[in-house]
């Protein structure tokens, strides 16, 4: 499709005009006008209940947002993704994370080769390996079974695995001890391995490229740490596995490719938690439950591919993000899971959303004239309520919120779950409806305090609910956000699958590394020169 800039599209302009009519409308009015609004603006699909009634929208808004999605070529783009077209144009790559959760009998061709059997071959190899570790059949170099698993990776090779491990902890084999090392800060490695012994420890070196500075540095330290105790190069084969697309670099590092689980350049780092990068997840929950998670992803993929836009969870979620981002000028989205196990979900979503849609030019390289990806952030409930919710309720910024909750808890204990869920419903209600000066007067609140105690309300939120957190539900939730990001990127006409913005810092750090260790002449700006000089002085 030829690029017509978003602002020139009649569908975008129709939304601009519509925004003028709705901007001042309060959610109180919208709910008063339609006693069934709470049901009208709700979707129930794939075991997820999605209540989007507390958004500043009418049926007309939804119609116009769907029209914009259609005019953006979303239908064709979804097909292009699912059929392996090279839609990551700046890297000339297909974007096929959906193939990672395909059924064995599906056919997804890329350059004439069906990728599905390749995916299942790796899954089978991962399963066989996980069964050996989990059963104790795999022995370390000194003959002891593995008890500790340390995943070394960063970005997509860390955030997905950590999030999934924490999210699914309830389902994990508890006699295995999992650690995750990502930061190049030595403290991360030292603390993660502090109380471990090499005899019972397996390192997973997770890196798509196998060149990332942080991961390679940590992997080399892990190697040295292992050899310091086991004192034999041959021990590496029993204590190291690699997850990568780069077999050559894996071999060069000294890991036998027999101990490597591969994936492909069509898996983006932030879309890789269900590829071989998920080995730690599979070790934790076992192959059967890992496959249940994949089935959850797949169910959401099918929903996304086949459901009409107005009823599609990822499309509605994605277009609501566009609505607040581009029309209300909201800068951020808060993701608030009311589920302790999802404590790392916001951090995971930050890479997924912001590395994908933090772009300033369109696919053809033109500067965008509208806002693209918002800032995603969040904390699990109810902790956030006693911290930053004040600003969401009464601050000057509009912050759309996604509340995520479950009807059942995995750990029933007294009234905890009732209290937890009452807070989800109460927060969304308070944000939407607020509290008026009249209500406060009726409560005889002193006049001077009325402005302080007034909640203007009209603050939008979504509520996503499921029965309980299972591997399958986690797969659905992650795929929901993955596809929502895709929808947004499609409307903004950007490449959601590259990440050139992380390169410059890496290049400059590589230039500075030798400068910190020498007395060479410094040719940076005056600030950088001074900082380097001070570091040199302190580390003489
Ligand atoms: O820094 C950006 C990035 O390339 C991410 O996109 C990626 O998830 C991360 O680095 C790690 O990359 P790798 O898996 O190749 O080590």
């Amino acid at each position: 499709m030829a690029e017509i800039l978003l602002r020139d599209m009649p569908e975008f302009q129709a939304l601009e005009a519509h925004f003028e009519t709705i901007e001042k409308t309060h959610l109180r009015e919208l709910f008063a006008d339609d006693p069934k609004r709470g049901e009208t603006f709700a979707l129930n699909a794939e075991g997820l209940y999605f209540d989007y009634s507390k958004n500043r929208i009418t049926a007309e808004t939804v119609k116009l947002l769907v029209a914009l999605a259609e005019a953006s070529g979303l239908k064709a783009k979804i097909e292009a993704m699912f059929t392996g077209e090279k839609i990551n144009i700046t890297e000339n790559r297909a974007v096929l994370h959906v193939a990672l959760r395909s059924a064995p009998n599906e056919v997804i061709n890329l350059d004439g080769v069906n990728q599905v059997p390749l995916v299942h071959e790796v899954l089978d190899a991962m399963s066989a390996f996980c069964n050996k570790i989990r059963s104790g059949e795999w022995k370390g170099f000194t003959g002891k079974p593995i008890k500790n698993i340390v995943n070394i990776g960063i970005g997509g090779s860390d955030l997905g695995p950590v999030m999934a491990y924490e999210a699914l902890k309830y389902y994990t084999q508890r006699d295995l001890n999992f650690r995750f090392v990502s930061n190049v800060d030595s403290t991360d490695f030292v603390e993660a391995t502090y109380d471990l012994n090499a005899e019972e420890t397996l390192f997973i070196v997770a890196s798509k490229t196998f060149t990332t500075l942080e991961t390679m540095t940590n992997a080399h330290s892990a190697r040295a740490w292992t050899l310091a105790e086991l004192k034999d190069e041959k021990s590496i084969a029993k204590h190291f596995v690699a997850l990568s697309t780069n077999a050559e670099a894996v071999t060069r590092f000294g890991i036998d490719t027999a101990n490597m689980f591969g994936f492909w350049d069509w898996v983006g780092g932030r879309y890789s938690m269900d590829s071989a990068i998920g080995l730690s997840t599979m070790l934790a929950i076992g192959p059967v439950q890992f496959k249940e998670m994949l089935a959850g992803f797949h169910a959401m993929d099918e929903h996304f591919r086949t459901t009409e836009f107005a009823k599609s969870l990822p499309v509605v979620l994605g277009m609501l993000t566009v609505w607040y981002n581009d029309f209300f000028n909201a800068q951020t989205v808060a993701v608030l899971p009311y589920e302790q196990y999802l404590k790392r979900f916001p951090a995971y979503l930050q890479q997924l959303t912001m590395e994908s849609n933090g772009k300033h030019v369109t696919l053809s390289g033109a500067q965008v004239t509208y806002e693209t990806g918002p800032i995603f952030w969040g904390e699990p409930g109810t902790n956030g309520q006693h911290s930053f919710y004040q600003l969401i309720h009464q601050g000057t910024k509009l912050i759309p919120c996604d509340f995520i909750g479950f009807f059942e808890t995995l750990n029933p204990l007294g009234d905890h779950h009732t209290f937890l869920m009452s807070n989800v419903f109460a927060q969304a209600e308070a944000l939407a409806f607020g509290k008026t000066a009249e209500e406060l007067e009726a409560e005889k609140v002193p006049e001077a305090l009325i402005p302080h105690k007034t909640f203007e309300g009209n603050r939008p939120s979504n509520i996503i609910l499921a029965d309980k957190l299972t591997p399958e539900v986690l797969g659905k939730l992650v795929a929901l956000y993955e596809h929502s990001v895709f929808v947004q990127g499609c409307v903004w006409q950007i490449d959601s699958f590259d990440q050139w913005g992380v390169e410059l810092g890496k290049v400059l750090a590589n230039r500075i590394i030798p400068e910190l260790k020498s007395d060479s002449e410094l040719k940076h700006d005056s600030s950088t020169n001074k900082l380097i000089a001070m570091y040199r002085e302190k580390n003489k």
Side-chain angles (χ1 to χ4, degrees):
M1 192 177 103
E3 195 172 75
I4 308 170
L5 281 180
L6 183 58
R7 282 196 178 281
D8 298 331
M9 291 170 72
E11 294 78 8
F12 187 87
Q13 290 165 356
L15 275 160
E16 283 181 312
H18 174 68
F19 171 71
E20 303 279 316
T21 69
I22 207 169
E23 191 190 356
K24 301 268 171 336
T25 310
H26 201 288
L27 280 165
R28 284 195 283 261
E29 287 166 58
L30 294 174
F31 271 85
D33 288 351
D34 175 5
K36 289 217 153 123
R37 183 177 169 89
E39 290 157 51
T40 314
F41 293 92
L43 297 170
N44 203 346
E46 305 306 330
L48 299 185
Y49 184 76
F50 179 60
D51 176 353
Y52 63 104
S53 61
K54 295 190 190 80
N55 280 290
R56 293 167 67 173
I57 55 168
T58 60
E60 179 68 8
T61 323
V62 176
K63 209 173 98 193
L64 293 173
L65 287 170
V66 165
L68 178 61
E70 275 163 0
S72 303
L74 179 59
K75 189 87 205 144
K77 289 200 173 157
I78 294 173
E79 270 321 286
M81 173 168 73
F82 276 81
T83 54
E85 268 181 51
K86 296 190 174 160
I87 59 169
N88 175 359
I89 57 154
T90 71
E91 296 181 309
N92 192 30
R93 286 179 183 166
V95 174
L96 268 179
H97 44 275
V98 293
L100 298 169
R101 48 265 194 156
S102 56
N105 57 354
E106 281 179 60
V107 176
I108 303 178
N109 283 323
L110 179 62
D111 298 330
V113 180
N114 184 8
Q115 303 297 301
V116 176
L118 309 179
V119 167
H120 286 272
E121 210 177 288
V122 174
L123 275 175
D124 290 346
M126 287 166 66
S127 301
F129 176 73
C130 287
N131 286 335
K132 281 190 201 152
I133 296 279
R134 285 165 62 87
S135 66
E137 185 191 332
W138 179 285
K139 300 282 189 287
F141 185 62
T142 60
K144 291 193 176 166
I146 297 296
K147 274 202 188 136
N148 312 309
I149 290 151
V150 183
N151 189 82
I152 296 177
I154 198 164
S157 302
D158 168 72
L159 289 162
V162 179
M163 181 279 288
Y165 171 70
E166 293 293 344
L168 301 175
K169 203 169 195 169
Y170 180 83
Y171 302 93
T172 59
Q173 183 168 319
R174 299 287 178 141
D175 61 358
L176 289 175
N177 177 21
F178 287 82
R179 304 273 165 88
F180 296 85
V181 176
S182 54
N183 200 335
V184 76
D185 183 339
S186 46
T187 299
D188 204 9
F189 180 83
V190 170
E191 285 294 342
T193 52
Y194 185 75
D195 53 349
L196 306 184
N197 59 7
E199 283 182 292
E200 297 171 313
T201 300
L202 175 79
F203 287 99
I204 301 175
V205 185
S207 176
K208 179 176 170 182
T209 54
F210 230 74
T211 57
T212 305
L213 172 87
E214 292 87 341
T215 302
M216 288 303 108
T217 307
N218 279 316
H220 281 287
S221 295
R223 204 169 188 284
W225 182 88
T226 306
L227 291 176
E229 188 180 321
L230 300 181
K231 302 193 186 334
D232 193 328
E233 277 287 336
K234 287 202 242 30
S235 64
I236 300 301
K238 290 284 164 200
H239 294 272
F240 279 76
V241 294
L243 319 175
S244 189
T245 57
N246 187 349
E248 221 175 274
V250 168
T251 312
R252 231 178 299 126
F253 178 84
I255 298 178
D256 188 342
T257 44
N259 292 343
M260 165 177 157
F261 302 93
F263 56 111
W264 308 271
D265 72 357
W266 45 258
V267 185
R270 53 196 176 271
Y271 297 87
S272 67
M273 60 169 274
D274 47 349
S275 69
I277 290 294
L279 187 73
S280 57
T281 314
M282 194 192 267
L283 281 164
I285 63 172
V288 172
Q289 296 188 108
F290 190 84
K291 282 177 191 153
E292 287 169 17
M293 183 182 81
L294 294 183
F297 273 100
H298 186 63
M300 188 54 69
D301 295 343
E302 287 297 298
H303 169 81
F304 183 47
R305 193 177 186 179
T306 58
T307 308
E308 63 174 284
F309 286 173
K311 296 199 171 130
S312 160
L313 299 175
V315 174
V316 175
L317 180 63
M319 292 310 293
L320 285 168
T321 307
V322 170
W323 177 232
Y324 292 115
N325 190 66
D326 292 89
F327 298 92
F328 286 82
N329 202 22
Q331 298 293 308
T332 81
V333 176
V335 180
L336 308 163
Y338 278 65
E339 168 58 71
Q340 186 63 19
Y341 285 126
L342 289 181
K343 66 181 180 194
R344 296 288 291 172
F345 195 62
Y348 166 76
L349 276 189
Q350 286 189 318
Q351 188 199 11
L352 177 67
T353 58
M354 290 156 75
E355 203 172 71
S356 295
N357 284 343
K359 309 289 161 70
H360 72 300
V361 293
T362 66
L363 289 163
S364 68
Q367 175 77 38
V368 295
T369 53
Y370 41 86
E371 292 289 321
T372 62
I375 297 155
F376 275 73
W377 60 288
E379 278 289 319
T382 56
N383 303 9
Q385 289 173 213
H386 298 272
S387 157
F388 52 77
Y389 276 40
Q390 165 66 38
L391 186 147
I392 307 183
H393 282 288
Q394 286 190 315
T396 53
K397 295 179 170 51
L398 181 77
I399 302 178
C401 299
D402 288 353
F403 292 98
I404 302 172
F406 297 89
F407 291 111
E408 279 173 54
T409 173
L410 292 168
N411 296 302
L413 183 63
D415 278 334
H416 284 246
H417 199 59
T418 313
F419 296 161
L420 178 72
M421 292 307 290
S422 68
N423 274 285
V424 180
F425 304 142
Q427 288 298 326
E429 191 177 24
L431 287 169
F433 302 106
K435 187 149 192 176
T436 61
E438 294 74 50
E439 286 167 330
L440 291 164
E441 274 159 23
E443 287 174 15
K444 308 240 177 308
V445 170
E447 211 181 313
L449 281 182
I450 288 188
H452 300 281
K453 292 197 157 195
T454 300
F455 287 64
E456 63 185 18
N458 215 15
R459 297 177 184 226
S461 66
N462 295 312
I463 299 196
I464 302 169
L465 296 173
D467 283 346
K468 67 176 178 190
L469 180 57
T470 62
E472 190 183 345
V473 166
L474 182 70
K476 288 175 180 172
L477 264 181
V478 173
L480 167 61
Y481 278 95
E482 283 179 348
H483 296 321
S484 163
V485 164
F486 182 85
V487 169
Q488 296 157 44
C490 174
V491 172
W492 293 324
Q493 305 174 1
I494 56 181
D495 189 332
S496 297
F497 301 102
D498 61 14
Q499 55 284 315
W500 299 108
V502 300
E503 293 306 322
L504 180 60
K506 289 186 196 172
V507 171
L508 295 185
N510 277 327
R511 183 176 151 201
I512 293 173
I513 290 168
E515 292 176 343
L516 291 181
K517 298 200 276 190
S518 73
D519 284 333
S520 60
E521 191 195 345
L522 297 172
K523 292 185 181 151
H524 300 267
D525 58 276
S526 58
S527 158
T528 312
N529 283 349
K530 173 74 182 164
L531 296 168
I532 294 174
M534 281 170 69
Y535 182 89
R536 282 175 171 176
E537 189 58 33
K538 299 271 181 202
N539 284 279
K540 256 188 188 160

